Amino acid sequence: MVSEMSAADAFSETTLASTRVFDGRLLKVRVDRVRLPAGGEHVREYIEHPGAVMVIPVLDSGALVFERQYRYALRRVLLELPAGKIDPGEAVEATAARELREETGYAAGFWRHLGTIHPCIGYSDERIEIFLARGLSQAGAAPEHGELIEVCELSLDEAIDAVAGGAITDGKTVAGLFWAEKVLKSGW
Amino acid sequence: MVSEMSAADAFSETTLASTRVFDGRLLKVRVDRVRLPAGGEHVREYIEHPGAVMVIPVLDSGALVFERQYRYALRRVLLELPAGKIDPGEAVEATAARELREETGYAAGFWRHLGTIHPCIGYSDERIEIFLARGLSQAGAAPEHGELIEVCELSLDEAIDAVAGGAITDGKTVAGLFWAEKVLKSGW
């Protein structure tokens, strides 16, 4: 049923004009004028994003490595899995290894790509590539300038309980934890 | 362990100035100058969002109600659970009922709030309130002007398989489906 996707033509919007209206240090905002499939024109506003990775680091003990980080947009500290943006020209596997090392200090012996999610389909072209990392060894963290990160460990069950109880609300982390549970307990 | 959150003071950033740099039809972008907890200043750029709801509609047959919708930022049709923005002053329960009705035509007899996720913590203050809806009856859809939505049904297992196979990539839908599986199969 899922494979019977509708003909994209019946839904597609044609770009008539495209303007970058904000070019910040972090955010790039674009406004496009489009032709709707049924005719008529509309305006589409969205963030241009280079894409990101998220890593689910599994220690030999079975515990997962998390971070606490202040997220200014939400004015609070969030408990999340390690993640970061893909640098220009960087292979996603390299981004995953780099971000894991920079933020937590861990190097991983084994990597597995689990899948891709789009966190914000209404107004961003961002994609997040999800990786599982095993065979971890501590090599020393090197956070980027201005990143204040506290590393901590939770068992998978503690983390899933934290989702149920509302202590973990980061969307990518919620999706990643449930996915990790499928892999680690159900053989996905 | 999760409850032992770090003192927020050690992480908090103080707002020194705040400017709305883009005021679009959909996107509102703000740039703040902040004082970092360790001293020094930094710039934070983010989207101001009114918040949203996502509904997991469960038919009496056990099937879930999905939508196919073209998402311009990604230039593709995505398979997703019904969702929409909270109107000014609107109670989230009212948003959930309104969006379900507008987008799929269903009215629900029973509602349950499952939890809250933050889809885009790096650059948006958006939150999504997740609801499970049961006791569905068809009353006729009334999409907003310009919304082109195709409604379809998938069993929970088909939907979870679609996540594993990459046919469902919308982050909120991935998180919501795994959450629904916990509720419907594991008694969350």
Side-chain angles (χ1 to χ4, degrees):
Chain A
M1 184 162 185
V2 173
S3 60
E4 296 166 21
M5 293 298 287
S6 304
D9 287 351
F11 286 82
S12 290
E13 298 171 358
T14 310
T15 308
L16 301 173
S18 183
T19 309
R20 184 177 276 181
V21 294
F22 179 67
D23 186 7
R25 294 193 203 183
L26 170 71
L27 290 184
K28 319 292 178 188
V29 181
R30 195 168 278 277
V31 177
D32 290 10
R33 194 161 51 82
V34 306
R35 185 175 304 285
L36 299 174
E41 296 184 6
H42 206 75
V43 168
R44 297 297 183 197
E45 304 167 352
Y46 58 101
I47 304 294
E48 294 179 280
H49 193 281
V53 302
M54 176 174 68
V55 180
I56 305 168
V58 185
L59 294 164
D60 291 345
S61 68
L64 310 184
V65 181
F66 283 81
E67 306 173 357
R68 289 198 181 90
Q69 195 173 357
Y70 185 78
R71 294 299 194 163
Y72 181 79
L74 295 165
R75 308 292 200 281
R76 73 182 78 169
V77 173
L78 273 84
L79 186 59
E80 36 181 311
L81 289 163
K85 282 194 289 292
I86 302 165
D87 281 342
E90 189 178 38
V92 291
E93 295 80 5
T95 310
R98 179 177 57 72
E99 290 288 348
L100 180 64
R101 173 66 189 273
E102 285 177 0
E103 298 191 345
T104 73
Y106 283 105
F110 304 94
W111 289 92
R112 180 175 159 196
H113 182 246
L114 298 186
T116 306
I117 59 172
H118 295 103
C120 200
I121 62 177
Y123 54 91
S124 172
D125 65 1
E126 179 178 2
R127 79 181 201 276
I128 301 176
E129 303 292 347
I130 306 175
F131 288 89
L132 195 79
R134 286 176 179 267
L136 302 180
S137 55
Q138 182 55 241
E144 285 183 272
H145 181 69
E147 277 193 320
L148 191 61
I149 290 172
E150 184 179 282
V151 176
C152 58
E153 298 176 16
L154 292 174
S155 72
L156 179 61
D157 289 343
E158 284 175 323
I160 296 284
D161 285 349
V163 173
I168 290 178
T169 62
D170 172 38
K172 66 181 183 304
T173 298
V174 171
L177 282 173
F178 285 131
W179 206 312
E181 188 177 41
K182 290 284 189 186
V183 171
L184 298 173
K185 293 189 174 176
S186 304
W188 268 26
Chain B
M1 184 164 185
V2 172
S3 60
E4 296 167 20
M5 294 298 286
S6 304
D9 287 350
F11 286 83
S12 290
E13 298 172 357
T14 309
T15 307
L16 300 174
S18 182
T19 309
R20 183 177 276 180
V21 295
F22 178 68
D23 187 6
R25 293 193 204 183
L26 171 71
L27 290 184
K28 319 292 178 187
V29 181
R30 195 167 276 279
V31 177
D32 290 9
R33 194 160 52 82
V34 307
R35 185 175 304 284
L36 299 174
E41 295 184 8
H42 206 73
V43 168
R44 298 296 183 198
E45 304 167 352
Y46 58 102
I47 304 293
E48 294 180 280
H49 193 283
V53 302
M54 176 174 69
V55 181
I56 305 168
V58 185
L59 293 164
D60 292 344
S61 67
L64 309 185
V65 181
F66 284 82
E67 306 173 357
R68 289 198 181 89
Q69 195 174 355
Y70 185 78
R71 295 299 194 163
Y72 182 79
L74 295 165
R75 307 292 200 281
R76 73 181 76 170
V77 174
L78 272 86
L79 185 59
E80 38 181 309
L81 289 164
K85 283 195 288 292
I86 302 165
D87 280 342
E90 190 178 36
V92 292
E93 295 80 5
T95 310
R98 179 177 56 73
E99 290 288 348
L100 180 64
R101 173 67 189 273
E102 285 177 359
E103 298 191 347
T104 73
Y106 282 105
F110 304 95
W111 289 92
R112 180 175 158 196
H113 182 247
L114 298 186
T116 306
I117 58 173
H118 295 102
C120 201
I121 62 177
Y123 53 91
S124 172
D125 65 1
E126 181 178 2
R127 78 180 201 278
I128 301 175
E129 303 292 346
I130 306 175
F131 288 90
L132 195 79
R134 286 177 179 267
L136 302 179
S137 55
Q138 183 54 242
E144 284 182 273
H145 181 69
E147 276 193 320
L148 192 60
I149 290 172
E150 185 179 282
V151 176
C152 59
E153 297 175 16
L154 293 173
S155 72
L156 179 61
D157 289 344
E158 284 175 323
I160 296 285
D161 285 350
V163 173
I168 290 178
T169 63
D170 172 38
K172 67 181 182 304
T173 297
V174 171
L177 282 173
F178 285 131
W179 205 312
E181 189 177 40
K182 290 286 189 186
V183 171
L184 298 173
K185 293 188 175 177
S186 303
W188 268 27

